[in-house]
Amino acid sequence: MTDEPLLRVSALSKFYGSRVGCDNVSFELWPGEVLAVVGESGSGKTTLLNCLSTRLLPSSGTASYRMRDGQFRELYRMSEAERRFLMRTDWGFVHQNPADGLRMTVSAGANVGERLMAVGDRHYGKIRATAVDWLSRVEIEQDRIDDEPRAFSGGMRQRLQIARNLVTGPRLVFMDEPTGGLDVSVQARLLDLLRGLVTDLGLAAIVVTHDLAVARLLSQRMMVMKDGRVVESGLTDRVLDDPRAPYTQLLVSSILQV
Amino acid sequence: MTDIATYNFAYLDEQTKRMIRRAILKGIAIPGYQVPFASREMPMPYGWGTGGVQVTASIIGPDDVLKVIDQGADDTTNAVSIRAFFKKVANVAVTTDTATATIIQTRHRIPEHPLTAGQVLVFQVPIPEPLRFLEPRETETRKMHALEEYGLMHVKLYEDIAKHGRIATTYAYPVKVEGRYVMDPSPTPKFDNPKMHRSPALQLFGAGREKRIYAVPPFTEVVSLDFEDHPFEVQTFDQPCALCAAENVYLDEVILDDHGGHMFVCSDTDYCEKRRADGHRGHLAPKADLAPGNMEPAQ
């Protein structure tokens, strides 16, 4: 273990004209830690995630990431080539809609292998073996390797997207509502799988969700956002069991009890 | 040519030719890079070689000798029309002989006869972007070229092997030029890819509809993409040319009747005729050789 964080975010803000996307967000993320960002829709969760993953440039603030060589690099000062390289090697991004994160017209095997080929792997047999291995880790049968994701169910697509992101052994994964749009039993299995992978691989993850149950299952720490600002943050159990901010109390008490 | 109503030399006006020459020079300076240019309307439809014709028109001079081939043949519609076009608008000498031509405009073949220094090969290109069918956004493909992100190209080859057990791409086979840009060699058969590698001739590519020009200068590295365990290989043929008995050339299948009769003959008609003139005979070569375009006397 190291005593340095993986990601340092300080006073990050994003404005869309006069509208606030997210405002003055600061936090640190440690290796192997899963941070959940919760809040209602429009609270700036996804804006924050897009800024952190450099898909959007923030209006102000800084974020620095500890590279594999141990050096901190300021994300928004990197060249686009470096950022895109980081995106496909050391990072992963799991979209809510798998069609955004997958190539729907190429086979599952090629979807998993694309990142390997992008970083210079040129041995078909090895790429395919890795793809087979990853499909089995996300519980997709091996004989589906040459099928296109179009022929997959929603849950399978999401698992394929996860495999595609994890194949290069990233250290940080961004997830935007990874279980959105799935039915509850599929959600439960996906969460189980994610929890297993995150623990086994020691991944750090930032999970954006509006589902407090997902946050409770996956994350150690959480931030509650409202109107672009962080209203409360802390250990997940503490925030959910003893919410302090009025908005968090409202959020926690809004969970349907069945 | 004193008539005021006559065409400008080589059809295009001088400003346009300068603009195209600038694009060509930039293309030569950055081998394999697609240079945008202001493609003009030509007196022929898109898809018939408007890009190649504009490139040829911009580089041709009164002393040039022009050869035009279409799928290797000098006597097909596209080749005959473009040859006639330049004869009319530039009054240049034309030939079917690969060795004596100074400019060879080609649709989808590289001649079998080795090209020499000083010759220019002008390709007609329908879709210059090798990544197009994998990534439809032009903004994104340009960025991928700029950042040298070519993993996607291998995804296509991976798909080929996964589906067919081998790399099934047989034409427009992607190449990497001088270790930098991935380039579409136009829909030539991959059989011709090795001929582009360190070719002494200048190779120019014009895409009229897509408004792009790119180039491979003489003696440039042109490497076909592949996998370590599935290396690049060219097509091979079981039998020699039925007319001239040539081996290790690219053959076309020609249907002879409606009972399944067929033969394989050289796609490069000039090469085939030269060989027959030298006395080579394939198993289907008639005694009195009346193949179209054959200029040797009946025996």
Side-chain angles (χ1 to χ4, degrees), chain B residues 202-269:
Chain B
L202 170 64
Q203 301 172 80
L204 301 176
F205 299 77
R209 181 186 50 211
E210 304 290 324
K211 302 176 172 51
R212 293 289 183 277
I213 283 172
Y214 51 104
V216 175
F219 304 105
T220 300
E221 304 271 330
V222 178
V223 181
S224 303
L225 302 180
D226 60 4
F227 284 105
E228 287 159 16
D229 48 346
H230 285 267
F232 171 79
E233 45 193 31
V234 298
Q235 293 102 329
T236 54
F237 298 90
D238 305 334
Q239 42 192 319
C241 170
L243 295 179
C244 75
E247 287 179 343
N248 301 320
V249 294
Y250 193 74
L251 301 181
D252 283 339
E253 185 181 13
V254 176
I255 306 295
L256 297 175
D257 51 39
D258 56 0
H259 306 297
H262 63 135
M263 65 174 180
F264 286 93
V265 294
C266 291
S267 114
D268 185 339
T269 53

Side-chain angles (χ1 to χ4, degrees), chain B residues 8-198:
Chain B
N8 192 38
F9 178 78
Y11 187 76
L12 293 173
D13 62 279
E14 296 305 315
Q15 277 305 106
T16 298
K17 284 195 273 190
R18 287 182 63 182
M19 173 270 293
I20 295 175
R21 285 175 199 143
R22 277 199 292 269
I24 294 172
L25 286 174
K26 182 167 178 180
I28 293 170
I30 317 171
Y33 171 72
Q34 299 167 46
V35 186
F37 79 109
S39 177
R40 298 291 192 247
E41 288 287 321
M42 295 303 283
M44 60 203 290
Y46 286 136
W48 286 68
T50 51
V53 163
Q54 289 179 77
V55 170
T56 303
S58 309
I59 59 171
I60 203 164
D63 301 329
D64 272 312
V65 181
L66 179 70
K67 170 182 163 82
V68 185
I69 52 174
D70 174 5
Q71 310 264 10
D74 294 278
D75 52 10
T76 49
T77 316
N78 201 218
V80 171
S81 330
I82 292 174
R83 210 158 50 221
F85 175 76
F86 280 111
K87 217 167 152 179
K88 181 173 180 183
V89 298
N91 196 27
V92 291
V94 293
T95 182
T96 59
D97 179 25
T98 305
T100 54
T102 55
I103 299 175
I104 303 171
Q105 184 174 331
T106 172
R107 176 174 173 267
H108 314 346
R109 264 323 297 285
I110 295 174
E112 304 290 356
H113 189 277
L115 300 177
T116 51
Q119 287 185 305
V120 183
L121 192 58
V122 179
F123 293 78
Q124 303 172 197
V125 183
I127 295 160
E129 179 50 71
L131 301 162
R132 178 57 67 236
F133 292 109
L134 301 156
E135 174 53 66
R137 290 167 296 178
E138 174 73 11
T139 47
E140 185 65 16
T141 53
R142 283 210 210 182
K143 196 162 273 176
M144 290 161 84
H145 282 295
L147 302 177
E148 224 179 326
E149 284 181 10
Y150 290 131
L152 198 52
M153 207 70 246
H154 273 86
V155 170
K156 180 187 185 315
L157 303 180
Y158 171 96
E159 284 288 276
D160 266 6
I161 304 173
K163 282 195 183 118
H164 308 287
R166 66 197 160 80
I167 298 177
T169 304
T170 53
Y171 65 95
Y173 192 103
V175 293
K176 196 164 212 183
V177 182
E178 204 63 16
R180 178 59 179 84
Y181 282 96
V182 165
M183 182 187 93
D184 181 350
S186 86
T188 51
K190 66 177 173 182
F191 182 88
D192 287 338
N193 276 17
K195 293 181 195 161
M196 307 179 76
H197 179 62
R198 303 194 62 79

Side-chain angles (χ1 to χ4, degrees), chain A residues 8-130:
Chain A
R8 273 193 193 129
V9 180
S10 133
L12 200 70
S13 302
K14 172 73 186 176
F15 300 102
Y16 301 101
S18 59
R19 258 180 261 278
V20 178
C22 60
D23 188 14
N24 200 19
V25 176
S26 304
F27 68 93
E28 287 181 344
L29 184 76
W30 298 74
E33 182 186 39
V34 180
L35 172 73
V37 183
V38 302
E40 60 195 12
S41 52
S43 61
K45 309 185 297 278
T46 302
T47 297
L48 175 65
L49 194 73
N50 284 337
C51 285
L52 293 176
S53 59
T54 70
R55 295 153 56 83
L56 262 181
L57 285 182
S59 310
S60 64
T62 59
S64 45
Y65 178 72
R66 188 157 54 80
M67 309 292 281
R68 290 195 188 215
D69 61 5
Q71 297 297 310
F72 274 94
R73 291 288 308 276
E74 173 61 58
L75 287 181
Y76 309 117
R77 292 189 181 202
M78 285 180 162
S79 72
E80 187 170 12
E82 289 173 305
R83 284 204 302 262
R84 284 172 72 118
F85 184 74
L86 201 60
M87 269 312 268
R88 59 175 195 261
T89 53
D90 219 20
W91 289 2
F93 196 105
V94 177
H95 294 260
Q96 175 174 11
N97 179 2
D100 295 338
L102 291 172
R103 289 196 190 276
M104 298 303 277
T105 52
V106 304
S107 69
N111 263 295
V112 177
E114 180 177 343
R115 276 178 160 229
L116 295 173
M117 296 183 249
V119 295
D121 215 325
R122 293 288 178 264
H123 192 284
Y124 175 81
K126 285 182 197 158
I127 293 168
R128 196 163 171 87
T130 312

